[in-house]
PDB file of all heavy atoms in Angstrom:
ATOM      1  N   ASN A1404       2.591  -6.734  23.646  1.00 98.00           N
ATOM      2  CA  ASN A1404       1.223  -7.235  23.752  1.00 98.00           C
ATOM      3  C   ASN A1404       0.268  -6.475  22.836  1.00 98.00           C
ATOM      4  O   ASN A1404      -0.793  -6.987  22.465  1.00 98.00           O
ATOM      5  CB  ASN A1404       0.723  -7.124  25.195  1.00 98.00           C
ATOM      6  CG  ASN A1404       1.422  -8.104  26.124  1.00 98.00           C
ATOM      7  OD1 ASN A1404       1.479  -9.297  25.856  1.00 98.00           O
ATOM      8  ND2 ASN A1404       1.984  -7.589  27.210  1.00 98.00           N
ATOM      9  N   LYS A1405       0.615  -5.241  22.476  1.00 98.00           N
ATOM     10  CA  LYS A1405      -0.241  -4.431  21.614  1.00 98.00           C
ATOM     11  C   LYS A1405      -0.401  -5.049  20.225  1.00 98.00           C
ATOM     12  O   LYS A1405      -1.348  -4.729  19.504  1.00 98.00           O
ATOM     13  CB  LYS A1405       0.322  -3.011  21.485  1.00 98.00           C
ATOM     14  CG  LYS A1405       0.245  -2.197  22.772  1.00 98.00           C
ATOM     15  CD  LYS A1405      -1.196  -1.873  23.119  1.00 98.00           C
ATOM     16  CE  LYS A1405      -1.306  -0.955  24.315  1.00 98.00           C
ATOM     17  NZ  LYS A1405      -2.710  -0.621  24.635  1.00 98.00           N
ATOM     18  N   LEU A1406       0.520  -5.941  19.868  1.00 98.00           N
ATOM     19  CA  LEU A1406       0.409  -6.604  18.568  1.00 98.00           C
ATOM     20  C   LEU A1406      -0.749  -7.599  18.546  1.00 98.00           C
ATOM     21  O   LEU A1406      -1.102  -8.111  17.478  1.00 98.00           O
ATOM     22  CB  LEU A1406       1.722  -7.309  18.216  1.00 98.00           C
ATOM     23  CG  LEU A1406       2.939  -6.379  18.053  1.00 98.00           C
ATOM     24  CD1 LEU A1406       4.194  -7.198  17.776  1.00 98.00           C
ATOM     25  CD2 LEU A1406       2.707  -5.362  16.944  1.00 98.00           C
ATOM     26  N   ASN A1407      -1.334  -7.868  19.711  1.00 98.00           N
ATOM     27  CA  ASN A1407      -2.535  -8.717  19.762  1.00 98.00           C
ATOM     28  C   ASN A1407      -3.800  -7.937  19.461  1.00 98.00           C
ATOM     29  O   ASN A1407      -4.875  -8.529  19.300  1.00 98.00           O
ATOM     30  CB  ASN A1407      -2.671  -9.352  21.153  1.00 98.00           C
ATOM     31  CG  ASN A1407      -1.590 -10.375  21.421  1.00 98.00           C
ATOM     32  OD1 ASN A1407      -1.211 -11.136  20.542  1.00 98.00           O
ATOM     33  ND2 ASN A1407      -1.084 -10.387  22.644  1.00 98.00           N
ATOM     34  N   ASP A1408      -3.722  -6.601  19.396  1.00 98.00           N
ATOM     35  CA  ASP A1408      -4.910  -5.776  19.225  1.00 98.00           C
ATOM     36  C   ASP A1408      -5.427  -5.839  17.784  1.00 98.00           C
ATOM     37  O   ASP A1408      -4.775  -6.377  16.882  1.00 98.00           O
ATOM     38  CB  ASP A1408      -4.607  -4.332  19.622  1.00 98.00           C
ATOM     39  CG  ASP A1408      -4.415  -4.174  21.127  1.00 98.00           C
ATOM     40  OD1 ASP A1408      -4.624  -5.165  21.855  1.00 98.00           O
ATOM     41  OD2 ASP A1408      -4.049  -3.068  21.567  1.00 98.00           O
ATOM     42  N   ASP A1409      -6.578  -5.226  17.579  1.00 98.00           N
ATOM     43  CA  ASP A1409      -7.284  -5.303  16.308  1.00 98.00           C
ATOM     44  C   ASP A1409      -6.552  -4.547  15.208  1.00 98.00           C
ATOM     45  O   ASP A1409      -6.061  -3.434  15.420  1.00 98.00           O
ATOM     46  CB  ASP A1409      -8.691  -4.730  16.490  1.00 98.00           C
ATOM     47  CG  ASP A1409      -9.671  -5.222  15.449  1.00 98.00           C
ATOM     48  OD1 ASP A1409      -9.299  -6.097  14.632  1.00 98.00           O
ATOM     49  OD2 ASP A1409     -10.817  -4.737  15.458  1.00 98.00           O
ATOM     50  N   MET A1410      -6.483  -5.163  14.033  1.00 98.00           N
ATOM     51  CA  MET A1410      -5.876  -4.566  12.843  1.00 98.00           C
ATOM     52  C   MET A1410      -6.655  -5.035  11.622  1.00 98.00           C
ATOM     53  O   MET A1410      -7.338  -6.058  11.668  1.00 98.00           O
ATOM     54  CB  MET A1410      -4.415  -4.992  12.688  1.00 98.00           C
ATOM     55  CG  MET A1410      -3.526  -4.779  13.881  1.00 98.00           C
ATOM     56  SD  MET A1410      -1.893  -5.538  13.610  1.00 98.00           S
ATOM     57  CE  MET A1410      -1.146  -5.309  15.219  1.00 98.00           C
ATOM     58  N   LEU A1411      -6.508  -4.313  10.521  1.00 98.00           N
ATOM     59  CA  LEU A1411      -7.161  -4.743   9.286  1.00 98.00           C
ATOM     60  C   LEU A1411      -6.608  -6.077   8.816  1.00 98.00           C
ATOM     61  O   LEU A1411      -7.360  -6.908   8.290  1.00 98.00           O
ATOM     62  CB  LEU A1411      -7.011  -3.681   8.193  1.00 98.00           C
ATOM     63  CG  LEU A1411      -7.720  -3.990   6.867  1.00 98.00           C
ATOM     64  CD1 LEU A1411      -9.215  -4.220   7.065  1.00 98.00           C
ATOM     65  CD2 LEU A1411      -7.477  -2.871   5.858  1.00 98.00           C
TER      66      LEU A1411
END
Side-chain angles (χ1 to χ4, degrees):
N1404 290 308
K1405 291 292 186 179
L1406 297 177
N1407 291 321
D1408 290 354
D1409 202 6
M1410 307 172 187
L1411 183 57

